[in-house]
């Protein structure tokens, strides 16, 4: 089936290696189990200009889409999401000021698509995460408490991202808007993990 616009739930799992962050994107079965692999993301570490490429699988032979920062290392950088053919699918950016208390992102598709805002659901957990980041050993011990992002246009729910409890970073992406490009939604979900410290 591959990555289809009709799919509305995905499991995103990080796979840490020495030189890169990798993310496996699977469909979710009716019983909540991990389904078909639909995308594999690769992010080089320590890059001056963030660039994440999504492939059809771990062989990395066929590109699905990418996201790339417009600027070199910038706290408020905008990231463009581009399809394999070079077509721009949309963009997202972190709202640095609002993110001091609760991580806040703005995402927009191409054309006349309205901008949607994503924010951490629980303010207490958001503050705990910020305190955790100041501790000296947290590079080796991840923040294990689940956290959640809700993306909406006003009162209209567009998508949500729920981090699962555990040592490994695992996220469930639920898409409520049938028109939202699944590639843009997946790119934003990976960015919530890959760019969280930006």
């Amino acid at each position: 089936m591959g990555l289809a616009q009709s799919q509305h739930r995905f499991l995103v799992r990080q796979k840490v290696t020495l030189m890169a962050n990798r993310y496996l994107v699977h469909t979710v079965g009716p019983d909540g189990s991990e389904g078909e692999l639909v995308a594999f993301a690769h992010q080089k570490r320590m890059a001056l200009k963030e660039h994440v490429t999504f492939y059809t699988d771990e062989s990395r032979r066929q590109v699905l889409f990418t996201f790339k920062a417009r600027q070199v290392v910038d706290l408020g950088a905008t990231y463009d999401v581009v399809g394999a053919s070079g077509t721009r699918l949309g963009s997202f950016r972190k709202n640095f000021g609002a993110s001091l208390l609760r991580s806040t992102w703005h995402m927009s598709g191409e054309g006349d698509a309205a901008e949607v805002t994503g924010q951490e659901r629980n303010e207490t957990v958001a503050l705990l995460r910020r305190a955790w980041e100041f501790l000296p050993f947290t590079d080796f011990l991840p923040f294990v408490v689940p956290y959640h992002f809700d993306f909406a246009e006003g009162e209209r729910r567009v998508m949500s991202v729920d981090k699962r409890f555990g040592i490994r970073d695992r996220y469930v992406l639920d898409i409520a808007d049938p028109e939202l490009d699944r590639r843009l939604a997946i790119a934003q979900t990976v960015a919530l993990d890959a760019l969280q410290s930006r």
Side-chain angles (χ1 to χ4, degrees), residues 59-73:
S59 71
R60 293 197 275 164
R61 283 196 292 267
Q62 187 178 342
V63 173
L64 276 174
F65 57 97
T66 64
F67 75 73
K68 189 175 188 178
R70 289 181 190 171
Q71 306 92 341
V72 174
V73 185

Side-chain angles (χ1 to χ4, degrees), residues 69-171:
R70 289 181 190 171
Q71 306 92 341
V72 174
V73 185
D74 179 4
L75 294 171
T78 296
Y79 299 85
D80 290 310
V81 183
V82 178
S85 64
T87 305
R88 191 171 175 276
L89 307 173
S91 63
F92 55 83
R93 63 185 168 82
K94 191 170 188 179
N95 183 327
F96 182 70
S99 294
L100 292 174
L101 292 177
R102 284 162 83 179
S103 287
T104 303
W105 292 79
H106 302 290
M107 178 181 74
S108 55
E110 279 301 279
D112 57 0
E115 183 177 83
V116 301
T117 299
Q119 190 171 55
E120 281 183 272
R121 189 180 304 157
N122 188 311
E123 196 167 348
T124 303
V125 173
L127 292 171
L128 276 174
R129 280 202 321 110
R130 272 137 198 78
W132 181 263
E133 288 168 7
F134 284 108
L135 298 175
F137 53 82
T138 56
D139 283 347
F140 307 104
L141 285 173
F143 186 77
V144 296
V145 177
Y147 54 89
H148 319 278
F149 281 83
D150 294 311
F151 285 78
E153 178 204 344
E155 296 299 311
R156 186 177 71 87
R157 184 173 161 270
V158 174
M159 71 181 218
S160 64
V161 179
D162 294 334
K163 182 180 187 292
R164 291 286 173 90
F165 182 83
I167 302 279
R168 281 182 167 176
D169 287 340
R170 291 171 53 229
Y171 302 86

